Amino acid sequence: MADHDDALATDPGRLGQPADGSPPVGGPPTVVDWMAAGAIDGLLAAAVWLLAEGGVPVVAAGDDLGAADELAAALDVFGRPPAFLSPFPRSLGASSLEDVLDCLGRPPYELTEDAARSVGVVLVVTVLPDGRRRIVAAHYVRPLEQDGHGHLQRRPPALLAAWDRDADRLDDYAWGISAELGSRIGMAAPAFELARAERAELLVGLAAAGARTPEAVAGAIAAHGLSVRR
């Protein structure tokens, strides 16, 4: 898996990536376009896929709202709760998780701190001075929980991935909470990690094959089928 992702990072030209590293133009950028441009890697995309498919909300945030909107649209292929079932927006103009939570507490959302904890996954994207886009942080916001004695627990958010600026890559931290992530969507930790690796391999394979159109990506994802165990 790592070898495939490294190949994308070191040889983006074979994927038809624009010289400035931004997602290709000529159509809505897909999640595979974002991968080919180095903005997201296979492991993070696969984790988002599993969680979104399992009904966990996903919010894209960024100082550049246009970039956040495009990222959110690219991730829609993984599934998203209908708007009438979710109080959370697809995208927000915010530069950090703290900004996102602050926005959710103000109009038009006006969510309580505990309600905002159900936001699920927050991806923070930035646009570099040269125009390249990078997801700089991916957070998993833990919902309000109860311990075995019925006491409410408000644990801090966890980091799924973070951008290493010097190496220009995402460092993966989701593996450390795979049991928790799997439990959120009804999967055991080994099953979650296996599914994540398989899906990452599929997405990287699409990028390597140049299958990056919305139709190709949506078709491959639909054909893969649901594997979330409820």
Side-chain angles (χ1 to χ4, degrees):
M1 183 67 245
D3 290 341
H4 285 293
D5 275 344
D6 288 346
L8 290 180
T10 57
D11 187 22
R14 66 189 177 89
L15 299 174
Q17 176 185 340
D20 65 0
S22 60
V25 297
T30 65
V31 66
V32 178
D33 287 324
W34 283 77
M35 287 173 59
I40 187 172
D41 65 10
L43 283 174
L44 177 57
V48 173
W49 180 356
L50 278 165
L51 292 169
E53 183 182 86
V56 177
V58 178
V59 174
D63 277 337
D64 186 316
L65 184 55
D69 285 342
E70 286 195 1
L71 176 60
L75 298 176
D76 276 347
V77 71
F78 295 147
R80 188 184 301 272
F84 63 87
L85 292 179
S86 174
F88 305 110
R90 297 165 66 250
S91 57
L92 274 174
S95 60
S96 67
L97 173 60
E98 292 73 22
D99 286 347
V100 168
L101 296 177
D102 181 62
C103 286
L104 293 176
R106 293 186 278 107
Y109 310 106
E110 298 185 303
L111 299 177
T112 66
E113 182 179 342
D114 285 345
R117 284 178 167 271
S118 295
V119 67
V121 176
V122 174
L123 304 174
V124 181
V125 61
T126 192
V127 180
L128 302 179
D130 61 7
R132 289 179 300 150
R133 299 172 181 186
R134 292 292 181 267
I135 291 176
V136 294
H139 304 274
Y140 172 65
V141 182
R142 294 178 168 107
L144 193 66
E145 301 164 312
Q146 285 187 331
D147 63 19
H149 301 286
H151 301 130
L152 292 179
Q153 301 293 313
R154 296 176 176 86
R155 293 190 294 156
L159 196 60
L160 298 177
W163 182 49
D164 182 330
R165 180 180 293 271
D166 292 334
D168 192 19
R169 72 181 180 204
L170 280 166
D171 290 333
D172 174 49
Y173 299 107
W175 64 269
I177 59 167
S178 58
E180 185 176 347
L181 297 176
S183 177
R184 179 75 182 265
I185 58 173
M187 298 180 75
F192 181 87
E193 277 302 313
L194 177 60
R196 186 165 79 118
E198 289 176 343
R199 289 169 185 234
E201 194 72 25
L202 171 65
L203 294 170
V204 171
L206 291 175
R212 294 158 54 180
T213 66
E215 295 77 15
V217 175
I221 287 172
H224 189 74
L226 302 177
S227 67
V228 175
R229 293 158 176 77
R230 298 191 181 280

